C-alpha cells in the first residue's frame, strides 16, 4: 500500500465534505466540555448592587439620562471583560427599581422612597433591553424578606410600603434597630413575596429571578417578651414543629411557592425564567468536616439542601467568600456543595468575594484566579461558573483582576449553560452562512418547530481545519465571538486561514449548529504541511501514523463520530517514529481522528473506515 500525505487525499475529502453537507441535519450540541480549563458553557456573572447606591445607580439624585448612561457603561465594561450574566438588584428592601403597582419606588433610585423618576422611565425594562443587545443575560436579584436597611428618619418609608400597610408583618433585628424583616412565619408574607415575583416574571423579559442570603436575621430578633415571631409561631404551627424547624419550613414554603409560580408563568408565556438562590456558604458548622462558622441552617434558618431535595431551585450559588485553606476552606466547601447539587441533578454556580481584594483581607487577584481554577477541576462536575460580588471591583480593576482574568481564565468567550430539564428543545441552526467583505454573515432561521423559539444570539467558531471542527466542537478556545446580530467582522487573515462554524443559542442557551459543514477555504487543511503521514485511508482494520519530526514520545489518539462524540481513545508510545492504530468495533463510515501531543498541541484529520 502506498503512503499518502494528508494533502494527497484532497479530492476524496472534498467529496465527502459535499456528501456531509447534503445529509447533515441541525444538531443540538450537548456533549461535555472539551477541556474544563477552557469551558464554553461557563456562567460568568456579576452582582450589581443598588442598595446604598453601591454599584448602580451611584447617585440616586442623578437624572434618568445620567443613570442610563452609567448603566450602559457598566454593561459595556462587563462584556469587554468576559462576563456574560448580570445579576441586577431590583428589590433591596420591599421597594422597586422598576415600575410597580405593588411596592414603592426605591429610595436608591430617586432619593425618596415612593417618588417616581422624572421623566418617568422603567430601569428594569431598560436594563433588560441593553443587556440583551450586548448578548448578556439579565437576572433580577431580589431580597425576599428584608424591609428596611437604614434609618426611617433619614429615609422615610412611602405610604404604600409594606411597613406602613402591614406593620404586623415586620420584626426587627436584635443588633440593628434599622434592619427590619418580614416575618416568614405568616402565610400572607409568602403570598406577598410570590406576588412580587409573579409581577416581575410576567411583565419583564428577565432571564432569571435570584434571591440572596437574607432570610431570618443571623443575630436573632428583639425579645418583647420572647421572640417577635412568637405569635405567628403559635398561630401557624399546626404540625407542632420546634421553633427552629418551623422557621426553616416557612422559608422552604416560600421558596417552593416562588419556584412553582415561575414554572406556571414559563409554561403559559413560553418563557424560560430560571430561579436560584445564593445561600450563606456554610450549610451546617462541621459540614464538611473541619468547617466552622455561622451557618444557613442554624443561624439564618434556611435549608438549601431541603430546596434541592424538593426540586424547588434550578441552581444554587452559595456565597463562598473565603480563601482556599482555613476554617472556611474554599476548596472543601465548593466540592461539598458540588456533590450535594449533583445528587439532585441541579447546577452549581459559586458566588465569589471579589470585594475581599480591597477590604482588610487584602486578597491578591491570584486568589480569585485559583478559586476559578478550583471551580473547573474535573470532580467539580456540576459547577458551571461563578458570580462575582461585586461590580465595584471590576469597575476599579482591583489588584488588576480584569487583566489577570482576561489573560487566563476568561481569555476565551463563554455562554451560560442551559439549565437541564427547563427547555431541552433546540433552535434551528443559522441559515445561509457566508462570507461578506471581511465579515461572516448568516440569516436568522425559521422558528423552532418544537417550541417556536428563535435564536437569541449566535456563537462563531474558528478552527484550524475542517476536521478540528468535529474533534474540538466543545472547545471554548475555538470560540471567536458570541453575537446578537447576523454578522461578525473578521480579518482577511482569519478568512484565509481558518474554518468557521456558526451556531444558534435559544433563550435556554440550547445550542444548534452543523460542525460537519464549515465555512472556509476547502483546500486549507489538506495542503497545510503536517508533521506526520497517515496510511492507508480508507483503512480496513488499522491505520498507521508515521511522524516525520517526532517531538513527543507519547501521543493520545481519539476518534470521534460525525456528531463530535468521542467513541474510542488510546494512549500510544511512538516506536521507530510510528504507531499502529487498530480501533475496535467501528462500522464503515467517516470518522475524525485527533492526535494529542505531550506539549498540549493537537492535530485533527478525517479517516474513512471501509472494509473490503
Amino acid at each position: 500500500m502506498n503512503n499518502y500525505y494528508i494533502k494527497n487525499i484532497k479530492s476524496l475529502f472534498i467529496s465527502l465534505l459535499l456528501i456531509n453537507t447534503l445529509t447533515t441535519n441541525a444538531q443540538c450540541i450537548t456533549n461535555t466540555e472539551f477541556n474544563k480549563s477552557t469551558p464554553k458553557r461557563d456562567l460568568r456573572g456579576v452582582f450589581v448592587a443598588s442598595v446604598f447606591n453601591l454599584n448602580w445607580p451611584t447617585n440616586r439624585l442623578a437624572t434618568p439620562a445620567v443613570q442610563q448612561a452609567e448603566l450602559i457603561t457598566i454593561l459595556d465594561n462587563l462584556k469587554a471583560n468576559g462576563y456574560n450574566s448580570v445579576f441586577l438588584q431590583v428589590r433591596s428592601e420591599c421597594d422597586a427599581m422598576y415600575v410597580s403597582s405593588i411596592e414603592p419606588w426605591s429610595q436608591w433610585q430617586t432619593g425618596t422612597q415612593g417618588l417616581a423618576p422624572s421623566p418617568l422611565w422603567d430601569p428594569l425594562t431598560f436594563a433588560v433591553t441593553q443587556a440583551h443587545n450586548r448578548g448578556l443575560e439579565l437576572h433580577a436579584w431580589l431580597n425576599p424578606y428584608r424591609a428596611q436597611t437604614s434609618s426611617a428618619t433619614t429615609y422615610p418609608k412611602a405610604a404604600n410600603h409594606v411597613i406602613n400597610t402591614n406593620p404586623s408583618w415586620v420584626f426587627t433585628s436584635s443588633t440593628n434597630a434599622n434592619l427590619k424583616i418580614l416575618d416568614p412565619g405568616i402565610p400572607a408574607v409568602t403570598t406577598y413575596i410570590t406576588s412580587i415575583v409573579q409581577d416581575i416574571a410576567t411583565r419583564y423579559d428577565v432571564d432569571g429571578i435570584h434571591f440572596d442570603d437574607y432570610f431570618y436575621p443571623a443575630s436573632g430578633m428583639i425579645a418583647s417578651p420572647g421572640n417577635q415571631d412568637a405569635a405567628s409561631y403559635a398561630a401557624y404551627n399546626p404540625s407542632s414543629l420546634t421553633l427552629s424547624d418551623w422557621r426553616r419550613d416557612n422559608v422552604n414554603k416560600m421558596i417552593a411557592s416562588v419556584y412553582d409560580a415561575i414554572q406556571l408563568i414559563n409554561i403559559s408565556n413560553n418563557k424560560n425564567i430560571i430561579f436560584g438562590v445564593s445561600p450563606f456558604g456554610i450549610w451546617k458548622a462541621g459540614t464538611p468536616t473541619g468547617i466552622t462558622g455561622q451557618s444557613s441552617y442554624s443561624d439564618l434558618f434556611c435549608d438549601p439542601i431541603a430546596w434541592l431535595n424538593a426540586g424547588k431551585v434550578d441552581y444554587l450559588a452559595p456565597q463562598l467568600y473565603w480563601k482556599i485553606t482555613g476554617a472556611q476552606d474554599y476548596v472543601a466547601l465548593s466540592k461539598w456543595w458540588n456533590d450535594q447539587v449533583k445528587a439532585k441533578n441541579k447546577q452549581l454556580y459559586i458566588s465569589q468575594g471579589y470585594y475581599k481584594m480591597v477590604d482588610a483581607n487584602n486578597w491578591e487577584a491570584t486568589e480569585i484566579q485559583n478559586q476559578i481554577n478550583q471551580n473547573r477541576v474535573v470532580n467539580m462536575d456540576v459547577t458551571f461558573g461563578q458570580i462575582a460580588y461585586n461590580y465595584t471591583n471590576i469597575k476599579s480593576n482591583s489588584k488588576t483582576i480584569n487583566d489577570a482574568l482576561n489573560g487566563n481564565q476568561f481569555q476565551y468567550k463563554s455562554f451560560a449553560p442551559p439549565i437541564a430539564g427547563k427547555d431541552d428543545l433546540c433552535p434551528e441552526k443559522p441559515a445561509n452562512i457566508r462570507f461578506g467583505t471581511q465579515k461572516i454573515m448568516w440569516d436568522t432561521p425559521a422558528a423552532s418547530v418544537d417550541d417556536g423559539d428563535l435564536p437569541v444570539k449566535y456563537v462563531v467558531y474558528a478552527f484550524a481545519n475542517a476536521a478540528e471542527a468535529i474533534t474540538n466542537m466543545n472547545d471554548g478556545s475555538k470560540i471567536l465571538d458570541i453575537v446578537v446580530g447576523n454578522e461578525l467582522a473578521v480579518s482577511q487573515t482569519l478568512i484565509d486561514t481558518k474554518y468557521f462554524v456558526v451556531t444558534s443559542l435559544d433563550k435556554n442557551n440550547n445550542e444548534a449548529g452543523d460542525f460537519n459543514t464549515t465555512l472556509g477555504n476547502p483546500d486549507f487543511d489538506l495542503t497545510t504541511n503536517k508533521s506526520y503521514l497517515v496510511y492507508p485511508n480508507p483503512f480496513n482494520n488499522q491505520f498507521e501514523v508515521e511522524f516525520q519530526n517526532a517531538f513527543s514520545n507519547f501521543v493520545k489518539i481519539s476518534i470521534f463520530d460525525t456528531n463530535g462524540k468521542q467513541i474510542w481513545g488510546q494512549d500510544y508510545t511512538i516506536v521507530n517514529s510510528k504507531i499502529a492504530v487498530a480501533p475496535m468495533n467501528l462500522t464503515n463510515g467517516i470518522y475524525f481522528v485527533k492526535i494529542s501531543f505531550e506539549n498540549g498541541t493537537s492535530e485533527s484529520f478525517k479517516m474513512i473506515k471501509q472494509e473490503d
Side-chain angles (χ1 to χ4, degrees):
M1 177 65 69
N2 293 329
N3 289 357
Y4 291 96
Y5 280 96
I6 300 295
K7 64 182 180 181
N8 290 333
I9 56 173
K10 170 170 61 177
S11 60
L12 177 61
F13 276 15
I14 292 174
S15 298
L16 292 171
L17 182 61
L18 291 174
I19 293 172
N20 286 343
T21 302
L22 295 174
T23 61
T24 301
N25 295 322
Q27 310 165 36
C28 193
I29 314 304
T30 57
N31 290 345
T32 57
E33 293 291 346
F34 178 83
N35 184 340
K36 284 208 73 175
S37 66
T38 58
K40 76 173 188 179
R41 303 175 189 90
D42 188 46
L43 184 134
R44 299 173 189 170
V46 177
F47 288 111
V48 178
S50 60
V51 68
F52 306 122
N53 298 118
L54 286 175
N55 300 147
W56 181 83
T58 56
N59 182 355
R60 59 185 177 272
L61 301 179
T63 64
V66 170
Q67 291 183 353
Q68 290 168 10
E70 183 180 36
L71 183 57
I72 286 174
T73 297
I74 290 172
L75 298 176
D76 286 342
N77 192 25
L78 293 179
K79 180 175 176 61
N81 282 295
Y83 297 93
N84 55 37
S85 301
V86 181
F87 292 76
L88 180 65
Q89 190 176 35
V90 300
R91 180 182 186 265
S92 61
E93 46 185 330
C94 295
D95 53 4
M97 306 279 285
Y98 57 94
V99 175
S100 172
S101 61
I102 304 173
E103 295 189 312
W105 279 99
S106 173
Q107 65 200 33
W108 311 115
Q109 186 82 60
T110 66
T112 302
Q113 191 178 86
L115 177 67
S118 180
L120 183 66
W121 68 300
D122 192 321
L124 184 52
T125 296
F126 182 85
V128 168
T129 300
Q130 294 299 324
H132 288 175
N133 286 347
R134 290 159 175 78
L136 300 170
E137 295 199 351
L138 196 290
H139 297 248
W141 162 23
L142 289 71
N143 302 101
Y145 294 116
R146 191 170 65 185
Q148 180 177 300
T149 61
S150 50
S151 168
T153 301
T154 305
Y155 294 102
K157 293 294 173 242
N160 64 330
H161 190 271
V162 66
I163 283 179
N164 291 323
T165 59
N166 290 283
S168 63
W169 289 4
V170 180
F171 57 68
T172 305
S173 165
S174 63
T175 59
N176 180 358
N178 292 324
L179 178 58
K180 297 187 181 297
I181 305 289
L182 298 185
D183 183 353
I186 300 175
V189 167
T190 291
T191 301
Y192 180 74
I193 293 170
T194 303
S195 74
I196 299 298
V197 172
Q198 289 172 316
D199 180 49
I200 294 173
T202 300
R203 294 194 294 119
Y204 295 94
D205 190 23
V206 295
D207 297 289
I209 299 291
H210 185 87
F211 287 172
D212 62 15
D213 66 333
Y214 285 94
F215 297 100
Y216 282 85
S219 57
M221 58 208 72
I222 294 174
S224 57
N227 294 309
Q228 278 193 308
D229 60 351
S232 50
Y233 178 59
Y236 304 111
N237 185 19
S239 301
S240 299
L241 296 171
T242 67
L243 179 62
S244 295
D245 286 342
W246 172 76
R247 287 174 175 171
R248 283 185 284 269
D249 189 55
N250 295 331
V251 177
N252 293 347
K253 289 176 179 176
M254 185 274 292
I255 294 292
S257 177
V258 166
Y259 180 86
D260 292 343
I262 292 172
Q263 308 324 301
L264 290 175
I265 290 168
N266 284 342
I267 292 169
S268 61
N269 295 279
N270 190 27
K271 292 192 172 189
N272 195 60
I273 298 169
I274 64 175
F275 175 55
V277 184
S278 287
F280 188 73
I282 299 173
W283 178 55
K284 289 183 180 179
T287 305
T289 302
I291 296 297
T292 62
Q294 178 177 286
S295 73
S296 285
Y297 191 88
S298 300
D299 295 285
L300 302 176
F301 299 103
C302 68
D303 186 0
I305 302 305
W307 312 336
L308 287 175
N309 291 338
K312 297 304 181 181
V313 288
D314 294 311
Y315 67 88
L316 289 179
Q319 298 178 18
L320 303 190
Y321 298 160
W322 302 289
K323 293 184 71 170
I324 295 173
T325 72
Q328 298 84 34
D329 177 31
Y330 184 97
V331 172
L333 283 166
S334 63
K335 183 62 172 69
W336 183 86
W337 281 105
N338 180 90
D339 294 348
Q340 309 318 303
V341 170
K342 179 180 179 181
K344 298 303 176 181
N345 197 32
K346 296 295 183 178
Q347 293 179 192
L348 183 71
Y349 313 127
I350 297 180
S351 303
Q352 293 182 299
Y354 278 38
Y355 71 96
K356 296 248 174 136
M357 292 184 290
V358 296
D359 70 3
N361 292 274
N362 198 31
W363 286 2
E364 294 299 326
T366 51
E367 176 65 32
I368 300 296
Q369 292 182 278
N370 291 337
Q371 291 180 6
I372 294 174
N373 291 342
Q374 162 62 19
N375 299 347
R376 296 176 178 179
V377 300
V378 172
N379 64 6
M380 295 287 287
D381 44 4
V382 295
T383 302
F384 296 103
Q386 49 282 312
I387 312 172
Y389 185 82
N390 60 52
Y391 173 70
T392 296
N393 310 105
I394 297 165
K395 177 182 179 180
S396 64
N397 196 17
S398 301
K399 300 291 180 69
T400 65
I401 185 64
N402 299 338
D403 308 84
L405 293 177
N406 287 331
N408 195 316
Q409 288 77 14
F410 292 176
Q411 181 179 359
Y412 304 107
K413 306 285 186 180
S414 72
F415 53 88
I419 296 291
K422 294 293 285 188
D423 168 16
D424 298 326
L425 303 174
C426 299
E428 295 297 318
K429 65 182 181 180
N432 191 24
I433 303 169
R434 60 201 184 274
F435 285 127
T437 302
Q438 292 195 341
K439 61 184 175 182
I440 301 170
M441 306 167 65
W442 56 89
D443 296 337
T444 301
S448 168
V449 296
D450 296 315
D451 61 6
D453 280 356
L454 287 167
V456 297
K457 50 197 168 199
Y458 302 89
V459 186
V460 182
Y461 298 83
F463 297 100
N465 52 59
E468 190 181 64
I470 294 294
T471 63
N472 290 53
M473 63 193 301
N474 285 292
D475 184 353
S477 71
K478 303 303 178 183
I479 294 178
L480 192 60
D481 207 348
I482 301 172
V483 297
V484 174
N486 290 74
E487 63 180 46
L488 176 67
V490 293
S491 69
Q492 192 61 47
T493 299
L494 283 178
I495 291 175
D496 292 341
T497 59
K498 294 294 183 181
Y499 276 60
F500 300 93
V501 171
V502 183
T503 63
S504 302
L505 294 175
D506 68 7
K507 64 183 186 295
N508 190 39
N509 291 307
N510 295 312
E511 185 180 18
D514 184 358
F515 287 81
N516 278 285
T517 305
T518 57
L519 179 68
N521 177 358
D523 292 341
F524 177 68
D525 62 325
L526 305 174
T527 58
T528 300
N529 290 328
K530 303 289 186 180
S531 61
Y532 53 86
L533 309 170
V534 179
Y535 53 88
N537 193 10
F539 71 98
N540 187 343
N541 295 317
Q542 74 172 36
F543 60 88
E544 293 189 4
V545 182
E546 180 178 343
F547 297 91
Q548 305 300 295
N549 299 300
F551 53 86
S552 183
N553 294 320
F554 306 96
V555 295
K556 181 179 179 62
I557 300 293
S558 305
I559 297 181
F560 299 77
D561 65 17
T562 55
N563 290 321
K565 179 181 179 181
Q566 183 174 337
I567 57 175
W568 189 87
Q570 187 169 315
D571 295 330
Y572 288 88
T573 300
I574 299 173
V575 179
N576 296 325
S577 299
K578 294 182 181 181
I579 59 172
V581 182
M584 303 295 292
N585 302 319
L586 296 188
T587 59
N588 286 354
I590 300 169
Y591 296 93
F592 296 83
V593 181
K594 180 171 176 286
I595 305 176
S596 300
F597 299 100
E598 286 183 283
N599 66 356
T601 62
S602 64
E603 297 278 2
S604 300
F605 53 88
K606 284 184 181 179
M607 291 294 290
I608 304 165
K609 171 71 183 300
Q610 180 177 301
E611 295 184 2
D612 295 336

